[in-house]
Amino acid sequence: GSLSTIEKSPPKPRREQTVLTIDTMNPTVKKVEYAVRGPIVQRAMELEKELSEGMKKPFAEVIKANIGDAHAMGQQPITFFRQVLALCSYPELLNDSTFPEDAKSRARRILQSCGGNSMGSYSASQGIDSVRHDVARYIKRRDDGVPCDPDNIYLTTGASDGIVTMLKLLVCGEGATRTGIMISIPQYPLYSAALAELGAVQINYYLNEQKCWSLDISELQRSLDEARQHCNPRALCIINPGNPTGQVQSRQCIEDVIRFAAKERLFLMADEVYQDNVYAEGCQFHSFKKVLFEMGPEYSNTVELVSFHSTSKCYMGECGFRGGYMEIINLDSEVKAQLTKLVSVRLCPPVPGQALMDLVVNPPQPGEPSHEKFIKERTTTLCALAEKAKLTEQVLNTVQGISCNPVQGAMYSFPCITIPEKAIKEATDNGQKPDMFYCMKLLEETGICLVPGSGFGQRDGTYHFRMTILPPKDKLKILLTKVKEFHQKFTQQYS
């Protein structure tokens, strides 16, 4: 099935002297799974190849709704960002009159921070100094004046790199003292993959689907108490706005989580990469840092917190540049020195990604030539996403056997699907998870590629899929209609 391309070439006979075999390789790597690019996506790529070779299929194209890749789905880049990056990549263009003056002055400032005035030089390991200062100013503005020290900012290769680096610092111990990390279920599979690779213990806490995927302190407590029987829980990861679940946490909830972390002595990791993607009425993004400092010194002087942001999501969607940052709060000074050492081994994050991060935190200002166009583009993108979030929820909820919570933020819906007993049996007999079976069938019959809920984790006996709301509205409508028709047909077939 999904691995047929790999199976076409017969396996080479294994020489006795082969050094690296599947039995002698690092066992933790074999435990890593990453559903967002898993077997279903490999099959989608095979189907694309088959279509291009003229094979007949019941669909004309493969629609990949499996990954939050905004530009691949047709979201347009912000002109100003690309102008400045073009100027930085090819400074000869600074003499070109077609580029606006604010873009040029921004490019000059970035180039002056680069060794030899070139984006092709290494930067400081923690990131370009002027960019970290800009990030600190952005955070202070965002958090209504809560101070931010640029020395606590580390620029990273996308948020993922920062998350993995921090997990690396936290993991130690053996057996019952092995580090445990609490992650929400459903979760973004970067977390489970990183924990598997580091040999840490994954501690699941479940979000409440009945209450719009909200986080319940009693559930955190249950999960923590159970985990303490067999490992040493040290950190709590929160994704807000949620991926794959699209919920936006209330301020009250964030306060409760901070109190819980303080009481139980847990290190907090706040993944806030969707902070500009908030659509629902009455929902607002609150950063963990801002809430922490508003709770007063009892908490703000003691709770250890790291928060992450990136250039990949929101209205930017620039995932290919691999830009991001993390801010660390109350990190022990000796550990901070170790962190700085650890990042220096990898030299530095990609400089174009750092330049892009700088523009995200310091966009065109009122009165500058590019300001009006920038605001217009940003607003258009975010309004379109808000509209598509609403549309997705509405259409999916018209289907019997599918229920979808409001997509309050981020860029995915994670509806619950009812799978008939017969289909569950057929899937289980084939050694497949029922929602994987469902998504594979959907792909083969409609060309739509979604990720099954089992790739993110879900309560036993429930099934879901994750679908991005990124495709252009007309394409999204077709996609939703196809999913609706498929679900009805699938349900009839197996009833």
Side-chain angles (χ1 to χ4, degrees), residues 44 70 93 141 178 252 258 282 287 289 303 330 379 383:
L93 293 174
R141 268 199 320 276
R178 188 68 176 162
Q252 184 58 53
I258 291 170
S287 79
K289 175 174 181 207
V303 174
N330 294 324
T379 307
C383 286

Side-chain angles (χ1 to χ4, degrees), residues 181-186 202-211 213-228 233 235-238 249 253 256-257 260-261 263-264 266 457-460:
I181 309 282
M182 300 180 69
I183 63 172
S184 60
I185 298 292
Q202 174 180 325
I203 305 170
N204 297 339
Y205 66 87
Y206 289 88
L207 300 175
N208 185 344
E209 185 167 12
Q210 273 60 54
K211 292 192 183 162
W213 298 113
S214 63
L215 196 160
D216 209 0
I217 297 297
S218 61
E219 168 58 15
L220 283 181
Q221 194 69 59
R222 176 208 64 78
S223 156
L224 181 69
D225 293 344
E226 277 180 28
R228 284 202 166 127
L236 169 58
C237 301
I238 309 279
Q249 284 188 341
C253 175
D256 293 344
V257 169
F260 177 79
K263 173 173 77 89
E264 300 292 350
L266 294 168
Q458 53 200 355
R459 281 202 181 273
D460 282 348

Side-chain angles (χ1 to χ4, degrees), residues 373-390:
K373 186 175 192 180
F374 166 76
I375 294 295
K376 187 170 173 247
E377 289 177 344
R378 185 179 72 177
T379 307
T380 303
T381 298
L382 290 173
C383 286
L385 282 167
E387 201 181 325
K388 292 187 290 189
K390 195 105 199 92

Side-chain angles (χ1 to χ4, degrees), residues 80 341 370 398 407:
F80 180 76
K341 175 189 76 177
S370 304
T398 63
V407 181

